[in-house]
Amino acid sequence: MKQALTALALCCAVLGTAFAQAQPPAAPGTASAPAAPAATAAPEAAVGGIRGQNIFEVKPEASADPNYANQTNGERMKVQPGNNAPMWRQVGQGVTGYSSLPKSQAPEAGNLIQPFVQYPGSRFTNAGEAWRQVRNDWIIPYGAALLFVVLLALAIFYFTRGPIRLHGQETGRKIERFTPFERATHWSNAIAFVTLAITGIVMAFGKFFLMPWMGSALFGWIAYALKNVHNFVGPLFVVTTVFMVFTFIRDNLPRASDLQWLARFGGLFGGKEVPSHRFNAGEKLVFWGGVLFLGLFIIGSGLFLDKLLPGFVYTRGEMQVAHMVHGVATLLMMAMIMGHIYIGTLGMTGAYKAMRTGYVDETWAREHHELWYDDIAAGKIPVQRTAPAGSAAAPAARPVRPAEGTPS
């Protein structure tokens, strides 16, 4: 009974206080009611917690302050509670905060948003957004268009002209064109390149032609697996490319006859091929322009993206630039190597067999690389460069150039 009376008294006290606060102010000249004891009202400063505020009652307006744009976050909070624009403005300007992580491990731990830059093809915006614009607006669409155009051109050429065939009959006498070491070097580099090309295509373009029918979950797992394959095969491509350069650089040195080959496009649109040495000017362009020049950019940027080059801090901006260089150089090299693969397989009869077995027929050597064949016939270059491996290799004999007018 006593507890019920106590609770009733408290309720009456609360209702009385609320009724008194709701009364309108007394008119001028009218005596007001005596003030409540100071102990019954809590001072305003003692009220804790988050207090809301009507934005239409904010006085003065934040923009009315002449120093509005330079306000600190604390000053802005006084006139616009919850407005953190000054803080995010500093973040967007690249202001570095404090981080306990060492700079060698996390060089940009204190920077949330990169400073503003303008990459070729992007707007003036923060570096992360600028990189995204270059990748999504230029590298991806135009790179895909380049590969498609090259593939379409090769298909049209094959179905309209067909492969390059021999004009004469094969003699049965074989010339060793590639040694086992040269073939091992070429195939290891080719396999590494094709693996990197396929995995790179899936990572760059897979969401456009794979994800729509396999779903994001499965595509995510496949892309993640291929990314790891890409990263592990990359160093293998580096090593095999070094072997490629040192193995084939001697026979790819420019010669005066290469200018005539280039001027006539190798006789591609004529009836007879332009005489060339062991490698013609087209193959030399692939070697110097693709394997060496573009290969250096691909290898350097790839090792940088894998963080395998010493002496670098590896900031986000440096990684973004390396990624753009890697993407552009790779697409150009892929377009160039597509032509090389076409000639070495479907485009020329006997070319794939030469790299698979190492040997070509005399007729093939005379028609496609006449100057190289002349050096072999003159004894300047040996017919058999390595010891025959049992009965797998066809018997080799020094070729004899047929006399003029004699059918081959």
Side-chain angles (χ1 to χ4, degrees), residues 66-73 75-76 86 89:
N67 199 36
Y68 169 73
N70 299 322
Q71 286 177 341
T72 65
N73 212 54
E75 293 171 339
R76 184 64 59 85
R89 186 176 296 112

Side-chain angles (χ1 to χ4, degrees), residues 15-175:
L15 291 174
T17 303
F19 179 79
Q21 291 179 351
Q23 294 298 317
T30 305
S32 60
T40 61
E44 183 177 354
V47 178
I50 300 176
R51 301 174 62 189
Q53 188 174 14
N54 191 334
I55 61 173
F56 296 105
E57 297 178 357
V58 175
K59 300 297 182 181
E61 292 185 1
S63 58
D65 187 347
N67 199 36
Y68 169 73
N70 299 322
Q71 286 177 341
T72 65
N73 212 54
E75 293 171 339
R76 184 64 59 85
M77 289 294 290
K78 294 179 180 179
V79 292
Q80 286 187 340
N83 187 334
N84 293 324
M87 180 194 72
W88 290 108
R89 186 176 296 112
Q90 289 181 339
V91 170
Q93 291 171 352
V95 175
T96 301
Y98 169 76
S99 173
S100 60
L101 296 174
K103 187 174 180 63
S104 60
Q105 297 181 9
E108 296 179 302
N111 288 84
L112 184 61
I113 298 179
Q114 295 175 263
F116 276 46
V117 297
Q118 185 173 14
Y119 293 136
S122 75
R123 299 189 300 271
F124 183 72
T125 181
N126 66 77
E129 173 64 17
W131 165 80
R132 191 194 69 83
Q133 291 176 7
V134 174
R135 180 187 183 276
N136 294 351
D137 297 341
W138 294 93
I139 297 178
I140 294 298
Y142 289 99
L146 173 64
L147 298 181
F148 178 77
V149 168
V150 172
L151 183 62
L152 181 63
L154 294 176
I156 293 175
F157 188 85
Y158 176 78
F159 287 108
T160 56
R161 299 289 301 274
I164 301 174
R165 304 181 186 276
L166 294 177
H167 297 90
Q169 295 294 325
E170 293 188 353
T171 63
R173 295 186 295 270
K174 302 296 182 180
I175 300 174

